């Protein structure tokens, strides 16, 4: 009974199996294969049982049936190869090898089976070789379809991965077999695999035997790759993929050199740009593995080709690749280890280059001077030895040429070349001081640079300044005497007149760079002179000695901030600047607003330079900030004696300049130092605690939040600069009181400056405050305040400003309440009084602020806030626009165009179809701000989404042409730029408009403004070229 | 490009003048700016092959920096602009407005008081036998035709004494019908357009 049951159980599954097999083989259904494979995996049947069930179909005389049978087996094996036992594998392999001789219809399934077996871990030694031999012998791979060829490559790849030793036992036969397999391959998908295999053959050191040349032939016949993927190619193979994998093969071994180099030389000469580039890049790659031996015979031709390309090409890319190839060739020659008796090819190669290029360097007016210099520099950049060789030849020549040519522009070219060679020196460090090739030329170079610095030509001076910087960067090159002279020149250049602005800027920059290297030279030779200059000016200014004195004064401040790049220099310049500021605000001199701002700007630059060094940063903070606050508090004291003078420090622009100094000096403070500082500054504003200020004897109390004068209230801006720049983890004392005071101040004053500052400060703190009950309380307070203010009359605009800033703070950190507040703002767009301001408010919401809510000031700014704002609010804006009465529609358009304008273009593109009609409507809006912003929004879209835009070409062309006669010059310019951008739409769409446009654009050609005419000329020229031959 | 021999492989190269700085007057909506020689000269400029004369030149080629100026018309033979080859110079560009001296141009709603203005441009071929002279002249002429208001009369000619067949070339360039006929010729138009296009 039990035995019968067991027998039944054994039969039942095999019965089911038999049915599945029949369905697959005879019924031509695909499903059963997976079913069988799943059952084998789950252990219901063994592979043997599958074979038995297939039995008759595998021996069927009809090849289609046999093929189907083998296909089923192969599919099962592909899924279950890991379960096979060694014994099974042996039998299966024998079976499959044998089947390779079968009818061609069967072959694809056989190959699939072999692929499955090639993945088998249990494959006994020897079988891999036998499978490959059988394939090489029995199958003519290139007559198979692409998929099956791919299978063969996969089998080979699998074996190479797991049976490397065995395959190497085959010796060169394996290589030869593979050569035959891939010979004639055409499909890019297969080529990628085949190239990979060849690369492995070479890099894993398989024996190539006598077949190196054949292997080269079979791969190099694809060079240079000329393949354009079909449109909508599902395989996603790019031309670049093929180029790189072929290059990896060709450049993988020196054994190909004798065949490859002639090929490359031939292809560099090709007419086709891509072939040139590919050849030069391949040459570049080869140099990584080649040595002198491989290159020896080809050097003259290689040099001739590269030289020709660099001398004659019109393409910057060819030039760049040619130079890169020369660089690696030289590097390769420099690197090779030589046998004792061999001659060093590097020297003769470099001599060749020098011989061909030297004479061009003597003609600084001719076209070839720069290509020659670039070639020499490319070679010199390859190794210390090459650099030495070339520099020692070229530098004396150039020095001599400099003196031979007297015109400034010739000298400039020569000096610029010298500069290029000097820069290359920095790549190599010389251990021994005497070995440095420059030390012999130092004096000549210095005198030449100083000559350039005193030349009347600005261009020559500029190059001189750059050269001086590079010379200074050479360790131990300049003597202290040279430095003193150099500092003297920089001092002079820093005071140049307005028309050589660029030179002055360069001199300041050079001073900054050199000051980090030679702080002593600058503090002993430059700082005292600048200090003296400031003092002299003081008395001259008092006599009212004209604007030139003022500007000298300003130059001096700029120079002081430019050289504050070293901690020790800051310790001298900062006290000078602060002293100067104090002096300006003391007693009898009347300083102008711009003077004070200039000092603040200098201070701000110094602060920026201190940010990276924690010690200088703290030094700056604790020195400058109490001083600035003390001056401001002093100025805010009610006093009768010097009312005009005091007011200077309280003016909007001066306070803004101080705000940026304080902000910059605070953002990089470490949290514990910041905590020390905050413990002084907050009590100063809340309680009037002035003890930490220097010179703290003031005539009155400092109470900006209580009933202090309006001057005192304005100083809240300084508080804002400080607390809004603190790191997020610094705790602010008396925060609750501070927030309430700020809120109070933000809504009830007739001084917009202080109420806005308070609103900004409130928003800045809100943005950084951690989520929680306290934050919710602050928000509730703010919302109540805003609503109260918006409903009643006198403080509506202040309440609106508060709303705007609070919204901004929340939008930036993705706070849930932000959507309510933005809805409130959108609602205000239809407010007759606040509507235009609300529209402009969107610009503020989307832009980056400078004083508060900045990333640098540690505010919480989420990266995608603009995108998010766009998706959340644009539908509401669009709805609002359609629903709004006619007279407030422009507000919606304006708001919308501010949002779109700031949005990254990739985000905007998919939204275009829905918004485009609105944008086109905005073009007809009479408000020129809307027109301008819409045009600047459309212009990039014309370039990036021509397909979408071309649907609206009629409207676009008409509206742009209309706007090109707008009364506003900026709109006319933007409209013409759009007209130019329109030419990027597909030409067939535009051709019907060509004549009309060309005629219409004749009018702006005669515009009264030159800038408009310029755009018209450029747009019209482009339209003429449309659809014209040669464009 | 393909290694063919050039008529003049290593020509002299001249400095390019910088961008014309924008003055405050030009930014003022109210002040009219008259068309002057520099503006005509600038009509010739187009992007030169950046970097051909030294480092630091490559950066200045953003999108709208295209061939809107004559001094930047490309030489048919070299990847250089006419300005760099000194084929055109600002001193050889003359604009004359037919007005009494001292009187300023008045634009009144685009109506101009000087309907007759003349632009004369002289260009200098790099070598006296330059076979490209006619072509260069034609390119300049076409560029000016496309870029100037119709009220301007154009006179494009070779700088006296700088070309072997100066007279013949000048005659061709002055003949309106021949210029028009030349532009009907597709091949010629193609070459001219190439000179006027931006090089990549």
């Amino acid at each position: 009974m039990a035995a019968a049951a067991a027998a039944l159980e054994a039969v039942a599954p095999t019965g089911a199996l038999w049915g599945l097999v029949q369905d697959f083989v005879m019924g031509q259904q695909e499903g059963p294969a997976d079913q069988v494979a799943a059952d084998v995996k789950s252990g219901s049947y063994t592979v043997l049982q599958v074979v038995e069930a297939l039995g008759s179909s595998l021996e069927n005389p009809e090849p289609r049936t046999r093929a189907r049978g083998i296909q089923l087996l192969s599919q099962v094996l592909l899924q279950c190869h890991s379960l096979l036992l060694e014994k099974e594998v042996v039998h299966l392999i024998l079976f499959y090898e044998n089947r390779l001789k079968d009818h061609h219809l069967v072959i694809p399934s056989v190959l699939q089976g072999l692929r499955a077996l090639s993945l088998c871990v249990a494959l006994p030694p020897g079988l891999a070789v036998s499978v490959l031999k059988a394939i090489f012998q029995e199958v003519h791979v290139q007559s198979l379809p692409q998929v099956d060829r791919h299978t063969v490559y996969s089998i080979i790849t699998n074996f190479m991965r797991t049976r490397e030793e065995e395959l190497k036992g085959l010796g060169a036969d394996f290589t030869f077999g593979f050569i035959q397999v891939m010979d004639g391959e055409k499909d890019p998908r297969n080529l990628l695999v085949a190239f990979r295999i060849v690369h492995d053959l070479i890099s894993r050191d398989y024996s190539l035997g006598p077949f190196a040349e054949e292997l080269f032939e079979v791969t190099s016949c694809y060079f240079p790759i000329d393949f354009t993927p079909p449109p909508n190619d599902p395989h996603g193979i790019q031309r670049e993929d093929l180029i790189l994998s072929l290059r990896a093969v060709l450049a993988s071994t020196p054994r190909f050199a004798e065949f490859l180099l002639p090929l490359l030389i031939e292809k560099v000469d090709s007419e086709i740009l891509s072939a040139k580039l590919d050849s030069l890049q391949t040459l570049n790659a080869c140099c990584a593995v080649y040595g002198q031996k491989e290159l020896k015979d080809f050097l003259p031709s290689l040099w001739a080709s590269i030289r020709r390309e660099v001398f004659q090409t019109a393409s910057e890319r060819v030039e760049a690749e040619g130079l890169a190839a020369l660089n690696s060739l030289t590097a390769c020659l420099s690197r090779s280890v030589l046998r004792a008796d061999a001659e060093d090819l590097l020297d003769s190669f470099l001599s060749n280059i020098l011989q061909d290029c030297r004479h061009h360097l003597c003609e600084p007016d001719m076209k070839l001077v720069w290509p020659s210099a670039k070639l020499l520099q490319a070679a010199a950049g390859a190794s210390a030895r090459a650099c030495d060789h070339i520099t020692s030849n070229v530098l004396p020549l150039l020095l001599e040429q400099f003196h031979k040519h007297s015109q400034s522009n010739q000298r400039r070219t020569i000096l610029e070349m010298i500069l290029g060679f000097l820069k290359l020196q920095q790549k190599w460090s010389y251990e021994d001081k005497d070995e440095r090739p420059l030390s012999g030329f130092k004096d000549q170079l210095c005198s030449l640079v100083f000559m350039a610095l005193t030349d009347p030509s600005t261009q020559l001076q500029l190059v001189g300044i750059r050269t001086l910087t590079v010379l200074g960067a050479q360790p131990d090159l300049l003597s202290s005497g040279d430095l003193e002279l150099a500092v003297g020149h920089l001092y002079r250049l820093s005071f140049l007149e307005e028309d050589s602005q660029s030179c002055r800027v360069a001199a300041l920059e050079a001073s900054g760079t050199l000051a980090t290297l030679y702080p002593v030279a600058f503090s002993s030779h430059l700082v005292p002179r600048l200090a003296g200059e400031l003092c002299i000016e003081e008395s001259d200014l008092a006599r009212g000695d004209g604007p030139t004195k003022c500007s000298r004064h300003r130059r001096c401040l700029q120079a002081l901030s430019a050289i504050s790049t070293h901690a020790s220099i800051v310790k001298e310049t900062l006290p000078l600047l602060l002293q100067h500021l104090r002096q300006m605000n003391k007693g009898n001199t009347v300083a102008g607003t711009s003077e004070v701002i200039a000092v603040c700007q200098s201070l701000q630059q110094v602060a920026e330079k201190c940010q990276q060094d924690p010690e200088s940063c703290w030094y700056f903070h604790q020195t400058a900030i109490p001083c600035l606050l003390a001056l401001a508090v002093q100025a805010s004291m009610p006093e009768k004696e010097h009312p005009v003078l005091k007011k200077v420090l309280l003016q909007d622009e001066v306070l803004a300049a101080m705000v940026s100094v304080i902000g910059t000096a605070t953002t990089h403070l470490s949290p514990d130092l910041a905590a020390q500082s905050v413990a002084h500054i907050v009590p100063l504003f809340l309680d009037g605690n002035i003890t930490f200020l220097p010179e703290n004897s003031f005539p009155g109390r400092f109470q900006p939040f209580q009933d202090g004068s309006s001057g005192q209230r304005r100083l809240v801006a300084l508080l804002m600069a400080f607390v809004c720049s603190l790191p997020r983890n610094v705790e602010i004392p008396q925060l609750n009181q501070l927030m309430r005071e700020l809120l109070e101040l933000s809504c009830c004053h007739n001084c917009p400056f202080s109420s806005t500052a308070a609103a900004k400060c409130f928003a800045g703190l809100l943005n950084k405050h951690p989520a929680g009950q306290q934050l919710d309380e602050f928000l509730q307070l703010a919302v109540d305040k805003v609503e109260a203010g918006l409903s009643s009359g006198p403080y509506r605009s202040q309440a609106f400003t508060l709303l705007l800033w609070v919204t901004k703070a929340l939008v930036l950190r993705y706070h849930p309440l932000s959507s309510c507040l933005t809805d409130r703002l959108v609602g205000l767009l239809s407010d007759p009084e606040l509507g235009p301001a609300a529209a402009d408010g969107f610009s503020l919401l989307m832009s980056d602020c400078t004083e508060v809510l900045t990333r640098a000031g540690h505010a919480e700014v989420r990266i995608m806030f603009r995108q998010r704002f766009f998706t959340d609010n644009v539908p509401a804006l669009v709805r609002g626009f359609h629903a709004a009465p006619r007279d407030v529609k422009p507000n919606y358009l304006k708001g919308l165009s501010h949002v779109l304008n700031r949005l990254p273009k990739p985000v905007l593109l998919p939204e275009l179809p829905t918004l485009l009609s609105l944008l086109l409507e905005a073009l007809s809006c009479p408000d020129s701000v809307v027109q301008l912003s819409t045009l600047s929004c459309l212009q990039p879209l014309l370039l990036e989404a021509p397909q979408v835009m071309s649907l609206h070409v009629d409207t676009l062309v008409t509206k742009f042409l209309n706007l090109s006669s707008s009364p506003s010059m900026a709109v006319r310019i933007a409209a013409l730029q759009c007209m130019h951008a329109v030419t990027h739409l597909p030409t067939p769409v535009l051709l019907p408009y060509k004549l009309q446009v060309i005629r219409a654009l004749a009018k702006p050609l005669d515009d009264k403004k030159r800038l408009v005419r310029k755009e018209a000329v450029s747009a019209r020229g482009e339209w003429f070229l449309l659809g014209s031959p040669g464009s | 490009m393909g290694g063919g021999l050039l008529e003049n492989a290593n020509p002299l190269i001249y400095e390019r003048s910088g961008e014309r700085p924008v003055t405050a007057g030009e930014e003022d909506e109210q002040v009219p700016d008259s068309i002057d020689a520099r503006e005509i000269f600038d009509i010739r400029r187009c992007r030169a092959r950046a970097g051909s004369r030294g480092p630091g030149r490559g950066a200045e080629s953003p999108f709208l920096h295209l061939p809107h100026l004559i001094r930047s018309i490309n030489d048919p033979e070299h990847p250089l602009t006419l300005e760099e080859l000194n084929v055109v110079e600002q001193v050889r560009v003359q604009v004359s407005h037919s007005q009494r001296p001292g009187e300023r141009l008045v634009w009144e709603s685009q109506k101009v008081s000087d309907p007759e203005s003349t632009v004369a441009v002289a260009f200098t071929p790099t070598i006296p036998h330059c076979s490209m002279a006619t072509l260069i002249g034609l390119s300049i002429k076409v560029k000016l035709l496309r870029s100037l208001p119709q009220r301007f009369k154009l006179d494009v000619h070779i700088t006296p004494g700088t070309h072997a067949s100066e007279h013949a070339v000048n005659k061709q360039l002055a003949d309106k019908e021949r210029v028009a006929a030349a532009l009907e010729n597709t091949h010629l138009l193609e070459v001219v357009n190439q000179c006027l296009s931006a090089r990549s």
Side-chain angles (χ1 to χ4, degrees), chain A residues 33 50 84 335 368:
Chain A
V50 178
L84 292 176
R335 191 174 53 223
L368 291 183

Side-chain angles (χ1 to χ4, degrees), chain A residues 527-728:
Chain A
V527 177
R529 287 172 83 169
L530 290 172
E533 187 91 25
L534 272 185
C535 292
I536 296 166
E537 295 304 324
E538 222 77 56
S539 47
D540 284 354
L541 270 178
R543 292 203 307 272
D545 213 353
T548 52
K549 293 290 175 192
C550 274
S551 66
R552 262 191 99 71
H553 207 145
R554 198 158 299 168
R555 308 260 147 95
C556 195
L557 293 172
Q558 285 169 351
L560 278 174
S561 62
I563 57 168
S564 304
T565 48
H566 192 276
S568 69
I569 300 182
V570 173
K571 294 224 159 86
E572 298 182 39
T573 54
L574 179 60
L576 266 177
L577 287 169
L578 291 176
Q579 178 57 33
H580 184 60
L581 190 61
R582 250 182 249 124
Q583 210 68 46
M584 289 172 101
N585 288 287
K586 207 172 259 174
N588 38 18
T589 55
V590 181
T593 318
S594 59
E595 304 290 300
V596 181
I597 291 179
V599 182
C600 289
Q601 281 166 347
S602 289
L603 282 171
Q604 198 253 345
Q605 281 158 13
V606 176
E608 250 169 46
K609 295 192 169 99
C610 290
Q611 282 182 338
Q612 297 316 319
D613 175 28
E615 207 175 310
S616 327
C617 188
W618 179 235
Y619 169 75
F620 187 96
H621 185 88
Q622 70 181 79
T623 316
I625 288 185
C627 172
L628 288 178
L629 287 174
L631 283 171
V633 170
Q634 171 77 43
S636 72
M637 288 299 153
E639 200 179 352
K640 283 153 196 77
E641 277 179 51
H642 303 288
V644 187
L645 173 70
K646 297 300 176 194
K647 287 252 166 64
V648 169
L649 272 183
L650 298 179
Q651 280 171 8
D652 292 2
E653 309 89 58
V654 177
L655 283 174
M658 285 167 72
V659 162
S660 76
V661 179
I662 295 178
T664 317
T666 308
T667 51
H668 281 62
L669 279 187
S670 70
D672 46 332
L673 293 177
Q676 280 183 38
S677 187
V678 83
H680 292 305
I681 293 176
V682 172
L684 167 70
F685 280 85
L686 286 180
D687 314 328
N689 181 348
I690 52 169
T691 45
F692 84 106
L693 298 179
E695 311 171 28
N696 52 7
S697 56
F698 302 119
R701 280 181 57 76
F702 181 59
Q703 293 172 316
F705 287 113
Q706 280 89 46
D707 43 26
S709 66
S710 75
Q712 295 195 353
R713 273 182 229 128
R714 298 171 74 86
L715 299 195
V716 171
L718 302 184
L719 175 68
M720 167 197 86
F722 174 73
V723 289
C724 292
S725 306
L726 289 171
R728 246 181 269 174

Side-chain angles (χ1 to χ4, degrees), chain B:
Chain B
M1 281 219 271
L5 281 180
L6 303 178
E7 270 187 26
N8 184 4
N10 190 13
L12 261 171
I13 301 201
Y14 294 82
E15 193 80 12
R16 286 196 288 142
S17 42
E19 287 288 323
R20 178 181 195 150
V22 177
T23 61
E26 283 173 357
E27 282 174 347
D28 184 340
E29 299 257 3
Q30 308 311 321
V31 185
D33 321 314
S34 64
I35 296 182
D36 58 13
R38 171 68 198 254
E39 185 168 344
I40 305 288
F41 184 59
D42 277 347
I43 289 180
R44 305 178 202 193
R45 164 179 355 197
C46 118
R47 194 172 58 175
R49 175 173 162 249
S52 64
R53 263 275 292 187
R57 292 273 184 93
E60 42 164 314
S61 52
F63 164 66
L64 284 172
H65 220 260
L66 288 176
H68 54 281
L69 308 154
I70 4 180
R71 65 186 158 112
S72 53
I73 293 175
N74 294 307
D75 185 88
E77 183 174 274
H78 289 285
L80 296 168
T81 63
L82 296 187
E83 183 183 14
E84 285 176 308
L85 293 170
N86 223 25
V87 172
V88 289
E89 292 167 274
Q90 194 181 337
V91 290
R92 302 199 192 284
V93 176
Q94 252 114 39
V95 185
S96 52
H97 301 289
S98 53
Q99 290 171 304
R100 269 167 285 127
E103 186 185 353
R104 281 190 61 185
L105 280 183
V106 183
W107 266 261
E108 279 173 51
S109 62
Q110 309 289 326
K111 275 179 80 184
V112 183
S113 67
D114 58 336
E116 297 276 303
S117 299
T118 313
V119 170
V121 177
F123 65 99
T124 318
T126 50
I127 46 175
H129 294 282
C130 183
S131 58
M132 305 284 175
T134 324
L135 192 59
I136 294 174
L138 190 61
S139 301
I140 297 177
K141 182 127 189 177
V142 170
K143 185 72 196 174
L144 289 176
L145 278 173
R146 291 177 182 178
S147 310
L148 284 175
Q150 279 193 341
R151 61 193 167 86
F152 280 85
K153 277 201 172 132
L154 300 180
D155 171 21
V156 176
H157 58 269
I158 292 182
T159 316
T162 59
H163 196 267
S165 38
E166 178 188 329
H167 186 64
V169 175
N170 285 347
K171 204 169 154 194
Q172 286 195 42
L173 289 174
D175 187 335
K176 271 188 190 166
E177 281 174 19
R178 291 184 74 167
V179 170
L183 294 179
E184 301 278 307
N185 176 330
T186 326
H187 174 67
L188 210 52
L189 184 60
E190 183 178 337
V191 182
V192 169
N193 279 341
Q194 270 165 4
C195 291
L196 302 182
S197 308
R199 288 258 165 103
S200 57

